[in-house]
Amino acid sequence: MRKAIQNLEESKIRDVANAGLGRSDVLAFWFGESDEVTPDFIREAAIESLRKGETFYAHNLGLPELREEVARYASRLHGDVADDRIAITSGGVNALMLAVQMLVDAGDEVVAVTPVWPNLTAQPLIMGARLQRVSLTPSNGAWTLDLQRLLDAITPFTKLLIVNAPNNPTGWTLSRAEQLAILAHCRKTGTWILADEVYERLYYEKSENGCAPSFLDVAAPDDRLVVAHSFSKSFLMTGWRLGWLVMPPAMTHNMGKLIEFNTSCASVFTQRAAVVAMQRTDEVTPRIVAHLKTCRDTLVPLLQAVPGVELQGAKGGMYAFFKLGGFDDSLALAKRLVAEAGIGLAPGNAFAPEAQGWLRWCFASKDVARLEEGVRRLANWLGPH
Ligand SMILES: Cc1ncc(COP(=O)(O)O)c(C=O)c1O
């Protein structure tokens, strides 16, 4: 067995969730998904496809109709994106892995902005790359980027920069000025950018297109840029395992080959559902975002009022990331909260060593009262400690 695989860390989020297995009294906020089911009309499209007998392999790059819909969707948000730059993938995580397989050789230098969803840092390690983390800096419960430190870390030897914004878990978002500076720098060093923009629509600040700033807004089609997306978060489709990539047109043919050797294709009936999700996005996504904003605006002030909590409201994403004064070990704390308070949170050190002592709370809850009850439990548990 390869050492790189043996050395991969197991998921600390799973570790906490396993501690709560079979306990229906635990309020679970540990995973990054809503507890709301996929809208009916999207599910119906999949059922109809199966009824018609669409049970066969599809094109490596995805159904042409879906690639066209995705290109139209991306163009509406970011200006012209041609369908020959799109590949449909088996989830956002598969999109990211394919991009890393495409770009990273064993021994290559990869820079990642952290804290970040652990899959993003595991993938280059699987390829045998050398990973350099550039940490955001926490201050009063908010995480910010030291841009110069990031630019200094990216040299002509850096093959790939991995950046996820809006960020899971911190909610940090790249500004337009930072994107422009990073792009200009990476053009000079010849570094590829892998932008994980799966939370672009879950953005709570004012913007013209209802999206967080995207690298697609500022890059040319031929730039060394690959953007990873997912149907999971903006369409309530986590279990469907569908995502997509936007890449330079010259890469697409080779991406098709790589998909062949990974998954061959995404299933047709899920892609049929995704076509409908894209066509009717205005019936789905704005409602989800409005609800998530209500969730954030309910949870954040309640948590901020708990003594010892350090937290700022996230600009994007679906997480409250906070520090609880007096507790240094996130994993031990998260396990105690499951066992003793009946709340399931993700430990901060699952996302980076520098987030030790922090906790992630996914606020995508259909019923806002669950969030209120969660904070009540946390405050009660903290009371006598
Ligand atoms: C930052 C980030 N990228 C990508 C994904 C992948 O999502 P999926 O594989 O469900 O499409 C997630 C899921 O939590 C995420 O948080």
Side-chain angles (χ1 to χ4, degrees), residues 91-93 96 117 164 168 196 198-199 230 232-233 241-242 319:
V93 65
L96 291 160
W117 190 51
N164 162 229
N168 172 9
D196 177 336
V198 307
Y199 295 102
S230 169
S232 289
K233 318 290 176 178
R241 313 313 305 128
L242 269 188
Y319 309 101

Side-chain angles (χ1 to χ4, degrees), residues 76-78 176 201 207-213 217:
R76 209 177 89 180
L77 298 173
H78 305 299
R176 174 69 76 230
R201 299 293 300 276
S207 73
E208 268 173 32
N209 58 1
C211 267
D217 299 328

Side-chain angles (χ1 to χ4, degrees), residues 205-245:
E205 304 287 297
K206 277 208 168 37
S207 73
E208 268 173 32
N209 58 1
C211 267
S214 163
F215 275 100
L216 290 176
D217 299 328
V218 291
D222 291 328
D223 267 313
R224 291 185 189 86
L225 169 70
V226 179
V227 182
H229 275 285
S230 169
F231 283 89
S232 289
K233 318 290 176 178
S234 318
F235 299 94
L236 300 172
M237 293 176 73
T238 47
W240 296 70
R241 313 313 305 128
L242 269 188
W244 72 91
L245 284 165

Side-chain angles (χ1 to χ4, degrees), residues 91-365:
V93 65
N94 175 235
L96 291 160
M97 189 72 224
L98 287 164
V100 172
Q101 285 177 3
M102 177 65 75
L103 296 170
V104 175
D105 274 320
D108 277 349
E109 256 182 41
V110 173
V111 168
V113 178
T114 62
V116 78
W117 190 51
N119 296 37
L120 284 164
T121 43
Q123 290 169 338
L125 295 176
I126 289 171
M127 300 306 295
R130 283 174 296 143
L131 181 73
Q132 189 186 345
R133 297 163 172 275
V134 174
S135 176
L136 302 169
T137 317
S139 161
N140 295 325
W143 293 72
T144 52
L145 175 69
D146 180 339
L147 179 63
Q148 196 52 52
R149 205 150 58 79
L150 176 62
L151 299 184
D152 289 346
I154 302 167
T155 73
F157 298 105
T158 311
K159 189 64 169 292
L160 178 68
L161 164 68
I162 299 179
V163 60
N164 162 229
N167 173 264
N168 172 9
T170 64
W172 161 77
T173 302
L174 269 170
S175 70
R176 174 69 76 230
E178 286 166 337
Q179 277 177 339
L180 286 167
I182 292 168
L183 182 63
H185 185 81
C186 287
R187 279 176 177 158
K188 274 195 240 147
T189 57
T191 300
W192 280 87
I193 300 172
L194 173 55
D196 177 336
E197 299 187 352
V198 307
Y199 295 102
E200 69 166 358
R201 299 293 300 276
L202 312 188
Y203 187 60
Y204 312 114
E205 304 287 297
K206 277 208 168 37
S207 73
E208 268 173 32
N209 58 1
C211 267
S214 163
F215 275 100
L216 290 176
D217 299 328
V218 291
D222 291 328
D223 267 313
R224 291 185 189 86
L225 169 70
V226 179
V227 182
H229 275 285
S230 169
F231 283 89
S232 289
K233 318 290 176 178
S234 318
F235 299 94
L236 300 172
M237 293 176 73
T238 47
W240 296 70
R241 313 313 305 128
L242 269 188
W244 72 91
L245 284 165
V246 184
M247 67 202 111
M251 182 187 281
T252 313
H253 175 69
N254 282 319
M255 189 59 79
K257 286 194 280 179
L258 200 47
I259 291 173
E260 170 61 28
F261 301 125
N262 274 271
T263 53
S264 293
C265 59
S267 54
V268 175
F269 68 98
T270 57
Q271 294 193 66
R272 292 279 182 229
V275 167
V276 173
M278 287 264 132
Q279 287 169 342
R280 296 175 62 179
T281 175
D282 290 345
E283 293 168 54
V284 188
T285 310
R287 180 182 63 76
I288 296 170
V289 178
H291 179 68
L292 286 175
K293 186 168 186 302
T294 305
C295 291
R296 181 197 68 161
D297 293 345
T298 304
L299 179 66
V300 168
L302 288 175
L303 269 180
Q304 281 168 332
V306 174
V309 165
E310 258 180 55
L311 162 75
Q312 302 279 325
K315 288 184 181 165
M318 47 166 71
Y319 309 101
F321 199 54
F322 64 100
K323 189 165 170 59
L324 200 50
F327 295 92
D328 295 331
D329 183 337
S330 298
L331 186 58
L333 171 60
K335 285 185 176 173
R336 281 190 69 188
L337 286 173
V338 172
E340 300 168 20
I343 327 168
L345 303 178
N349 60 337
F351 305 93
E354 60 271 20
Q356 178 63 284
W358 292 68
L359 292 166
R360 188 194 73 174
W361 185 316
C362 175
F363 54 67
S365 179

